Amino acid sequence: RLRVVHASPDAPAVDIYAKGVATPLLTNVAYGAVSSYLEVPAGTYEIEVRAAGSTGPAAYTTGPLALVDGQTVTAVAAGLLAPTGSDDAFRVLALDENFDAVAANSVRVRIVHASADAPTVGIDVGADNPAAPEVASLARFADTGAAGIALPAGQALRIGVVAGDAQVTSFTTPALPSGAE
């Protein structure tokens, strides 16, 4: 299975293709959108990203992405099409979802730092202690790993984003049911 997250703030809506296939896998994926999971046959793919409706060459093509039977991958389009340097250039992060078992009354999540212009941050679950965040250091274009992180189920959670010892922003997650990933 494959899904796509459009997290490139200066990229237009895009169509997603498997290289060499005329029909797009996804069309008109806008910034901030997350596609449904696509069922694709096992194999090696190169994913092409084109401006929505474009028939011209791909704006970006991934390297080979091998998908095996039963594997689930989330591809995050991140970075800038018009970068200010090499560290914020457009890229696709292929994230293999291989979560550990979900304990009772828990959910399992993966946190991805896809901001093209933010520094390394900490993640403070509960937004209650910016000096000691649960995820101390999450670099730009990095994630917390394929195993995921366990969080309590059934409640909205306040999440603080920390730089240095100060919270720079926060958001609230939806309440997720026990066992969710």
Side-chain angles (χ1 to χ4, degrees):
R1 297 184 325 152
L2 175 69
R3 74 173 168 176
V4 173
V5 177
H6 186 328
S8 177
D10 71 338
V14 296
D15 295 338
I16 305 297
Y17 289 80
K19 187 174 182 177
V21 178
T23 304
L25 296 168
L26 297 165
T27 59
N28 204 31
V29 181
Y31 173 68
V34 179
S35 76
S36 298
Y37 285 102
L38 302 170
E39 297 291 333
V40 295
T44 300
Y45 297 87
E46 289 186 53
I47 303 299
E48 295 182 335
V49 179
R50 296 183 183 150
S54 171
T55 57
Y60 184 85
T61 302
T62 68
L65 175 61
L67 297 174
V68 298
D69 280 335
Q71 184 179 26
T72 299
V73 172
T74 295
V76 180
L80 300 174
L81 286 178
T84 59
S86 62
D87 63 336
D88 62 357
F90 186 86
R91 68 205 63 211
V92 174
L93 309 170
L95 305 172
D96 183 20
E97 295 181 22
N98 188 19
F99 291 138
D100 286 344
V102 180
N105 300 315
S106 294
V107 299
R108 191 151 295 274
V109 301
R110 181 182 212 162
I111 302 168
V112 179
H113 183 338
S115 176
D117 64 354
T120 296
V121 297
I123 304 297
D124 178 19
V125 178
D128 55 357
N129 190 356
E134 285 75 5
V135 177
S137 180
L138 189 57
R140 185 183 314 165
F141 305 126
D143 64 89
T144 55
I149 295 173
L151 294 176
Q155 58 185 296
L157 296 172
R158 193 88 183 133
I159 306 294
V161 179
V162 177
D165 284 339
Q167 179 175 300
V168 293
T169 192
S170 66
F171 60 93
T172 301
T173 69
L176 297 173
S178 184
E181 297 178 343

